[in-house]
Structure formats: structure tokens, C-alpha cells
Amino acid sequence: MSKSLRRHFTTPSAALYAALAIGGFGASTVSAATPDWRPIPLDEQAFDFPEASSFRVENVQGREALCLDGEAFARGVSLQNGSIAVDIANDDRRRFANVIFRAGTRDNYETAYLRMHKSGQFDAVQYTPHLNGETNWQLFREAQLRADFGDDPWITLRVDFVGDRAKVSLGGDGAGPALTTDLTLPAQRGAIGLRTLFEGCFSNFRYSSARPLFDTEVEEGGMSPTLEQSGSGHIQQWALSNPFPLEDWAGIAARLPQNPQWSAADVERNGRLLISRYVQKQSSGSFERNRLDAVYAGVAIHSDDDQVAELQIDASDMATVWLNGSVLYSFDNSFRAKGPLFRGDFDATKQSLNLRLNKGRNELIVLVAERANGWGLAGRVSAENRVSIEAIDADQ
């Protein structure tokens, strides 16, 4: 098949930036009833291939299969709740095989995927949203699962989703190893499809529009922390500047912004700010080949007294922190920045800084630079005497 045969992908627009919850994962079950599966042929009549590097239909392991590098969206299928399953050719080449669901646009959708070269490892299966053209897996280290893909020539990846929850499992009956995760995008109808990074082959793609029935039981350790109520010191809203490109990372020598245009951005239920919800990278979609993009984030901390407070903070990928105009700290947690196996997973308690707060208003500003794999920020301030925290106002 020729790339010239591709057609433009369009789906109904969705309100993609509502501040919905993102949580952790546990074990959950779906109704034992077998879905009423509807097959979708894996060919160019049934799919759009927007900007896919390659796609072709060929015989793989005795089956007709779609071998794809990029994205493929099923035409005329839109689901809010339902189930999707696909068989993935099993080999240990480094590649990532995704199911796409609730795609409001080709740049904003939910995904669940297998890391085909990670069989038996803790991150063999993972969920991540795709926001404004960028994947965000570094911000979802809770939403991954250890799984052994075995020796069968085909592996079935199944996703059941309803409301703001999804179950990702191996095996078409939904009874295999599974993780359950909160979802990121609004619970609205969207397109379904397939995605790969590095070529992979798919067979037997099917879906059901029947609403899955999740139980309410969660195994021990299943849920990620939920943001506590105000007064805990969690930063619940940041002010964001407009994004801008960086030629290189200056670290501790970075400069404060000059009269930025601030806009408010809410954190998720677990306290993380998904920056790509609110701003779009100028360089995206090419992973570590992306250029650096940056944004400033700021809050005003009001303290009842002069005091030393603790700031727990993390950012993805790189950050420089200022308090009241003085630089405090800088770090780089980008992918492979600290060795070939360093993933750069987000951990909101990773860094701890002392803040020498003045009585009254204090201004905390963080420069967050991102190349790929998740643009995020979270902070919590703990103090002996009362503090209140708010996003910097555009008029201040």
C-alpha cells in the first residue's frame, strides 16, 4: 500500500482540557459476559493512516495482518464506553504496540500499549494519554504492569473503558494479567485505532459498544494518592506562561521571565500538573529528537510569619526553581540523562528544598523544560505556621 493513499483523519471535536482526575491502578474485574465483538478489517478501506511512516497488509504467522509504523484510525467508529481487543505479533524487537481510544482529534487520545521488548518486566504494559501531539508515559509510572508475553505467536491486548476508568488486560477474555487506571480525557465519544513506535503487526481487531461493568474491589496498594484538601500545602493551581523554544538547557544559570503573560492551570486529583493539557510543544512527535520547549510556572505563597518551609517538587524533564527572585536549585530528569537505563519517571517527592519564606507574599517560579515523554510539574509546601498558596494572577 502506498502512503499516497492516505486520507485525512477527522472526528468530532472534544473538549480535551477539562480538569478530570488521573489516578493509579489496581486489579478490577469486568462483567464476565462476552462482549458482542464487531470485527474491523485491517485495510485502507476501513482505516485512515494520517502521517504513518509505513503500512501494509501481509501474511504473518498464517494470518492476514496490518504491519504499521505510526497511527491508524478506524473510519466511522466512535465509542464513549466499550471494549477493544487486538492480537499483536509476538517478538522481542524493541517496539511499542498501542490501542487508541476516545480520540477527539489525532493529537489527543487515550492509549494502552505493550512494550514488546519488556516481557516479564515491571513496565511491560502501560497506560498513557496522548496530549497535544505528545505521549506522557513518564508521568504515569503507577499505570504500568509486569506481564510475561509467553511464546505464543500472537498476544491479545484488550481494553475495557467506561466513565473515567479503564481496564487493560492480556487475553481476549479479560481474565489475564490486568491493570485498572483512571483516565485523563473527558468521557466523551471518540475514534478508536492502533499506533506503533517502530513497526509492529496486528491481527483480529475488534470492538464492542456494550458498556463494561467494573466491580468496586481494588487490590492492596492499588490506588495512587489523591490530592488532599487545601491547607495541606499541595499546590493545586499554577500560573503558566506561554511556551517558548530553548536552544539548550542553562540549568542553574537560567533566567527569570520578564513580564510573562500568566494563565491559570489546575492540577489533577493526585497533584500533578499535566502541562501539555494547557500548552502545545512547538517541537513534538519525534521523541528524543524533539527540540526543547519550556514554560514558566508560578505561585504566590502567603506566610503568616517569617519561617523556613519545605518544598517537595518534581518536574519533567528539567527545572530551575526561584524564590523571591533568587535561584535555589536546578535538575535534569530527562530520559537517559543519568545513564542508559534511566527512565525519568515522575516522582512528586523526588526533590526536597528549604524555602526561606518572608511574612506576607512570596513568589515561587519554576522553569520547566521538556523534550519528550511527558511535560509535568507537582509541588507541596509544608510549614510549621500557616501558609496559603495561589496561582500568580495575570494582573500582579
Side-chain angles (χ1 to χ4, degrees):
M1 291 185 182
S2 168
K3 290 170 61 177
S4 64
L5 295 175
R6 300 182 202 134
R7 297 171 175 82
H8 181 64
F9 165 64
T10 58
T11 62
S13 177
L16 294 168
Y17 298 107
L20 297 180
I22 297 174
F25 68 91
S28 174
T29 61
V30 179
S31 171
T34 302
D36 180 18
W37 292 117
R38 302 179 184 180
I40 300 180
L42 291 169
D43 57 37
E44 63 171 333
Q45 283 70 45
F47 280 83
D48 284 311
F49 300 89
E51 300 183 17
S53 297
S54 64
F55 59 92
R56 66 186 184 279
V57 175
E58 64 181 31
N59 187 286
V60 177
Q61 300 283 353
R63 296 187 183 188
E64 185 177 82
L66 172 65
C67 296
L68 171 72
D69 186 359
E71 298 168 327
F73 294 90
R75 290 189 186 145
V77 180
S78 181
L79 295 179
Q80 178 172 335
N81 302 305
S83 302
I84 304 170
V86 69
D87 298 341
I88 301 167
N90 187 9
D91 63 56
D92 58 3
R93 289 184 297 113
R94 183 174 183 267
R95 57 191 174 89
F96 306 81
N98 296 241
V99 165
I100 292 172
F101 57 106
R102 286 187 182 163
T105 71
R106 65 170 300 269
D107 288 331
N108 294 274
Y109 49 75
E110 308 277 19
T111 65
Y113 61 99
L114 305 185
R115 288 183 161 111
M116 303 305 302
H117 53 299
K118 292 292 193 80
S119 178
Q121 299 189 38
F122 72 95
D123 56 352
V125 183
Q126 188 154 10
Y127 156 80
T128 185
H130 200 79
L131 303 174
N132 269 321
E134 278 293 293
T135 185
N136 289 267
W137 62 263
Q138 286 177 322
L139 304 178
F140 291 84
R141 67 190 182 99
E142 300 91 349
Q144 53 195 13
L145 177 73
R146 186 185 300 275
D148 189 332
F149 299 151
D151 298 323
D152 291 342
W154 296 93
I155 310 164
T156 299
L157 174 62
R158 172 171 165 172
V159 184
D160 301 276
F161 52 99
V162 60
D164 62 357
R165 299 285 281 171
K167 177 188 175 186
V168 183
S169 58
L170 299 183
D173 59 2
L179 69 85
T180 303
T181 182
D182 288 359
L183 296 173
T184 305
L185 296 179
Q188 299 180 5
R189 297 183 70 88
I192 66 173
L194 301 168
R195 179 177 184 265
T196 59
L197 173 61
F198 312 122
E199 186 180 87
C201 297
F202 301 90
S203 178
N204 193 20
F205 186 68
R206 63 262 194 206
Y207 75 97
S208 171
S209 58
R211 181 183 177 92
L213 300 176
F214 285 76
D215 70 14
T216 58
E217 296 180 2
V218 178
E219 287 187 352
E220 182 179 356
M223 296 296 287
S224 69
T226 297
L227 183 64
E228 298 172 17
Q229 297 301 311
S230 60
S232 68
H234 283 284
I235 298 173
Q236 301 183 62
Q237 187 182 69
W238 295 83
L240 288 182
S241 73
N242 292 328
F244 56 94
L246 282 180
E247 290 298 323
D248 52 55
W249 175 239
I252 202 74
R255 296 186 178 185
L256 278 167
Q258 301 297 315
N259 302 316
Q261 296 296 310
W262 296 112
S263 58
D266 294 320
V267 305
E268 308 297 316
R269 187 173 66 187
N270 56 18
R272 295 173 199 160
L273 176 66
L274 299 183
I275 294 174
S276 289
R277 265 198 194 278
Y278 298 94
V279 299
Q280 185 167 11
K281 288 182 89 277
Q282 296 184 31
S283 173
S284 63
S286 297
F287 302 94
E288 284 66 52
R289 297 186 300 277
N290 290 342
R291 297 188 305 274
L292 276 176
D293 285 278
V295 69
Y296 290 101
V299 293
I301 305 173
H302 300 273
S303 176
D304 280 0
D305 299 281
D306 293 340
Q307 60 178 319
V308 177
E310 179 190 27
L311 171 66
Q312 289 184 319
I313 190 170
D314 198 18
S316 181
D317 287 326
M318 310 165 186
T320 301
V321 183
W322 293 266
L323 179 67
N324 295 330
S326 296
V327 65
L328 297 182
Y329 184 60
S330 182
F331 58 89
D332 180 356
N333 287 331
S334 54
F335 184 61
R336 295 177 178 167
K338 300 174 183 178
L341 300 180
F342 182 74
R343 289 166 40 101
D345 287 322
F346 190 90
D347 180 355
T349 63
K350 189 175 291 184
Q351 279 80 220
S352 180
L353 308 178
N354 284 334
L355 301 181
R356 295 188 178 275
L357 300 177
N358 300 321
K359 182 177 180 179
R361 185 180 185 276
N362 301 264
E363 193 165 272
L364 179 74
I365 292 180
V366 185
L367 171 64
V368 186
E370 164 70 0
R371 193 178 303 278
N373 305 319
W375 202 358
L377 174 65
R380 174 178 177 169
V381 178
S382 300
E384 182 176 348
N385 299 318
R386 192 181 72 89
V387 296
S388 62
I389 305 171
E390 62 184 2
I392 296 174
D393 190 273
D395 296 328
Q396 292 178 324

